[in-house]
Amino acid sequence: MDETSEIISTDNVTAQDLAEVIEELEQYRERLVRETTEAAKRAKVMRVSLMGQLEPELAKIDSALEELRNQQASLMVSN
């Protein structure tokens, strides 16, 4: 189980905890795209090819972000 799944299943998570994880995951996503794009430019890889390889990882990140945001919204409503 990865860190995100562990956080989602923990009962004592606060909205603030989730906000911090969401922010870190968003920063990771941005850094992944930026650094991979820079490396692809140096290697002269076409952007279409790069995005085809990167898209599955971005989809996982986006899915985790959506789950975390939904959990955060649920916590805010219940409080």
Side-chain angles (χ1 to χ4, degrees):
M1 186 173 353
D2 62 19
E3 289 181 30
T4 303
S5 298
E6 290 175 15
I7 290 172
I8 291 172
S9 64
T10 304
D11 291 334
N12 350 341
V13 175
T14 66
Q16 180 62 34
D17 293 334
L18 289 172
E20 290 172 10
V21 172
I22 289 168
E23 183 178 339
E24 289 175 14
L25 196 52
E26 287 171 340
Q27 289 173 358
Y28 169 71
R29 186 187 192 286
E30 290 173 20
R31 190 175 67 248
L32 178 64
V33 171
R34 183 180 61 250
E35 290 176 0
T36 305
T37 301
E38 290 170 4
K41 285 179 185 176
R42 287 191 300 271
K44 298 183 179 170
V45 173
M46 293 181 61
R47 183 163 176 82
V48 173
S49 175
L50 165 72
M51 292 312 290
Q53 294 175 348
L54 198 54
E55 194 59 41
E57 185 66 24
L58 295 177
K60 289 179 191 175
I61 295 169
D62 291 341
S63 175
L65 282 168
E66 183 178 351
E67 287 181 39
L68 289 167
R69 288 182 180 125
N70 288 341
Q71 186 175 4
Q72 184 182 35
S74 295
L75 279 174
M76 294 174 126
V77 168
S78 67
N79 289 336

